[in-house]
Amino acid sequence: MAARIEHLVTAGQFSLDGGTWDVDNNVWIIGDDHEAVVIDAAHDAGAIAEAVGDRRLTAIICTHAHNDHIDAAPDLADRTGATIWLHPDDLPLWKQTHPDRAPDGELADGQVVAVAGVEVTVLHTPGHAPGAVCLYVPALNALFSGDTLFAGGPGATGRSYSHFPTIVDSIRDRLLGLPGDTVVYTGHGDTTTVGAEAPHLQEWIARGF
């Protein structure tokens, strides 16, 4: 069977700069009946492992290292034998959550991860976090944006390690040039499309979204 996108929502907490908030996270699985990768192992390794089932989980790809996106990654890796991949610029954030467990591999801009017959291309999109990445899968008409781009605007940049002008540059230069019908699968909330968000770039800049 051809590669497909699967989705589950997990609940937990996001903590940074001394604050803690309850959050729901989107966990995305790309795969077929035999193998898969997980994008952002959030909160509940058991639920994610159940969704993967008896398929071979080849990788856990982290869009960034805020704790709500990585807290279940080591447990999921231990359960499945998958390797954990993170952009090295986010290692300081990673160490806040997992000081005694390093990722297994480093993501790099332009890197291609193959799974279930499709190619997943890594796009380094700093701003929400220094090592934030998006994952573009042309064969599935899909962009997995983590917390870089949401339905309605950029991800938050009001906390440590984030920078609003940088996230705007990342979105404009790396994402908005993709085909307009590309579906954006976000880290939280609803999906959108590149075409739905592109017309609003100047509005975001004007209000410092």
Side-chain angles (χ1 to χ4, degrees), residues 125 134 143 145 147-157 163-177 180 182 184 186 190-209:
T125 51
C134 295
L143 176 75
S145 63
D147 287 2
T148 294
L149 179 63
F150 291 107
T157 53
H163 189 242
F164 178 72
T166 300
I167 201 171
V168 167
D169 288 347
S170 291
I171 293 170
R172 181 187 59 232
D173 298 342
R174 307 307 309 277
L175 305 184
L176 296 187
T182 302
V184 181
T186 61
D190 296 333
T191 59
T192 183
T193 64
V194 169
E197 302 307 320
H200 302 291
L201 177 66
Q202 293 306 317
E203 298 170 24
W204 305 334
I205 294 171
R207 65 177 185 252
F209 193 100

Side-chain angles (χ1 to χ4, degrees), residues 51-145:
V52 172
D54 59 2
R55 292 176 288 181
R56 183 170 67 97
L57 187 63
T58 59
I60 301 163
I61 304 174
C62 307
T63 62
H64 62 294
H66 284 152
N67 73 289
D68 58 317
H69 291 255
I70 63 167
D71 51 1
D75 188 2
L76 183 62
D78 290 344
R79 290 170 183 249
T80 63
T83 51
I84 302 170
W85 292 79
L86 177 76
H87 193 284
D89 289 355
D90 257 22
L91 281 174
L93 280 166
W94 171 275
K95 290 176 181 177
Q96 291 183 12
T97 303
H98 301 302
D100 300 320
R101 166 67 156 94
D104 301 297
E106 295 185 350
L107 297 174
D109 186 59
Q111 179 179 349
V112 175
V113 178
V115 61
V118 300
E119 294 187 340
V120 180
T121 299
V122 176
L123 305 176
H124 184 208
T125 51
H128 180 70
V133 302
C134 295
L135 304 163
Y136 181 44
V137 191
L140 298 176
N141 195 40
L143 176 75
F144 299 89
S145 63

